[in-house]
Amino acid sequence: MRVADPTDSVQALLGLDGVADAVEQARAACTRLRWHEALRRRMPEAAAESRLRGARASAALDGAALPMALVRDRARGAAPWPPRPDPVDTVVAAALAVTTETEHVRTLVRSAPAQALARLHVAAATGLVPADQVGRPRLGRDECGEFVDLGPAPAPDHLARRLADLGGLIRRGGPPVALVAALAHAEVCVARPFVRGNGLVARALERVLLVAGGLDPTGVAVPEEGYLQTGPTAYLGALTAYAHGGPPGVALWLRHAARAYVDGAAHGESICRSVLAGRLG
């Protein structure tokens, strides 16, 4: 699906099976989280914890799972990274970097989505790919081996058009934010604009859009945990449905994403309770 086709309307997607109800549930869950008493004075602390948990979950969705306690200790410098990190350590470090970068591009993403996407990839891919492939879309013979179940990655000429459409969608923004964020996430995974790191960037972009669009203005929800809660297999299946299932497949993905926002808000409430109880970390 070309998400920004002039003949399509994001609002029209609300007419797909179950999408409107799922979007409303996500809105209600995020609204409850927004007014949690822990966020009156300790929102930065809760948001930082959300980013930490989100990074750990995003890495796990890419097959790189580490215990939360170890991720937290490494992020704060209480435990060293291995001098020769294995593939799991490398992906977790990339997830921490790109999720941290979401704080710095939230004011940029709606006005300059291509620049925001590039900055997210710089954070995610530095050390993962050669320097000349960091922060730029695939060119020429560049190949991507990620999300192979979604079919071949678009050729660079088609990729440029798809990224332009995605940029148009993000710049137009507007409600419902849940649909814009979910579509942007899926489009990055399907288009695979980068040689490596597309999943990490897609989930980081989604997080940014949920915050910048006002669905989760506190940044305390953990949508990445929402996806992980239903499992990597369900996550990949929903993306495959989006890529190949026509309108019913798009609806399945949108419902799946909205469910992740509901569950992510619940994880955010858990963070808030821990903040109030002094048990964070």
Side-chain angles (χ1 to χ4, degrees):
M1 180 179 180
R2 297 288 295 281
V3 300
D5 190 291
T7 63
D8 291 333
S9 165
V10 173
Q11 287 282 347
L13 296 176
L14 291 171
L16 295 176
D17 183 32
V19 171
D21 287 344
V23 167
E24 173 55 25
Q25 290 169 17
R27 186 204 62 77
C30 290
T31 298
R32 285 193 302 272
L33 172 61
R34 181 186 312 179
W35 299 112
H36 197 286
E37 63 176 313
L39 303 183
R40 295 175 186 172
R41 295 185 179 180
R42 301 179 67 180
M43 182 168 60
E45 183 181 354
E49 177 68 11
S50 169
R51 291 191 294 275
L52 192 61
R53 296 188 189 187
R56 185 261 174 191
S58 187
L61 286 166
D62 270 10
L66 287 179
M68 188 69 239
L70 179 57
V71 174
R72 178 178 285 106
D73 284 347
R74 286 184 173 173
R76 67 185 182 181
W81 291 93
R84 295 182 179 179
D86 63 21
V88 170
D89 293 320
T90 301
V91 172
V92 171
L96 283 167
V98 72
T99 309
T100 298
E101 183 64 14
T102 61
E103 267 296 277
H104 306 303
V105 302
R106 57 193 294 181
T107 59
L108 176 72
V109 67
R110 297 283 291 278
S111 60
Q115 185 178 345
L117 198 64
R119 284 181 55 173
L120 291 173
H121 190 249
V122 168
T126 298
L128 290 180
V129 300
D132 64 345
Q133 295 177 338
V134 172
R136 65 148 175 88
R138 291 181 289 109
L139 298 171
R141 296 181 179 273
D142 288 344
E143 296 182 353
C144 175
E146 298 178 324
F147 293 107
V148 294
D149 289 348
L150 305 185
D157 57 343
H158 179 63
L159 172 62
R161 294 193 299 271
R162 197 146 188 165
L163 287 177
D165 286 348
L166 175 60
L169 171 74
I170 293 172
R171 281 191 297 270
R172 286 199 304 275
V177 175
L179 293 188
V180 174
L183 290 169
H185 179 162
E187 277 295 300
V188 172
C189 291
V190 173
R192 284 154 283 178
F194 307 110
V195 171
R196 188 177 176 191
N198 292 287
L200 297 177
V201 170
R203 293 182 289 273
L205 176 63
E206 178 179 57
R207 172 179 277 266
V208 172
L209 290 172
L210 292 173
V211 174
L215 184 64
D216 175 35
T218 65
V220 176
V222 196
E224 303 92 341
E225 281 278 12
Y227 290 113
L228 187 61
Q229 186 167 311
T230 55
T233 300
Y235 173 69
L236 183 58
L239 284 171
T240 303
Y242 174 89
H244 301 295
V250 172
L252 189 155
W253 166 254
L254 294 176
R255 293 194 303 269
H256 188 79
R259 180 73 247 175
Y261 304 159
V262 171
D263 293 339
H267 283 283
E269 290 188 54
S270 175
I271 290 172
C272 290
R273 290 192 295 270
S274 295
V275 166
L276 286 179
R279 293 185 287 104
L280 199 59

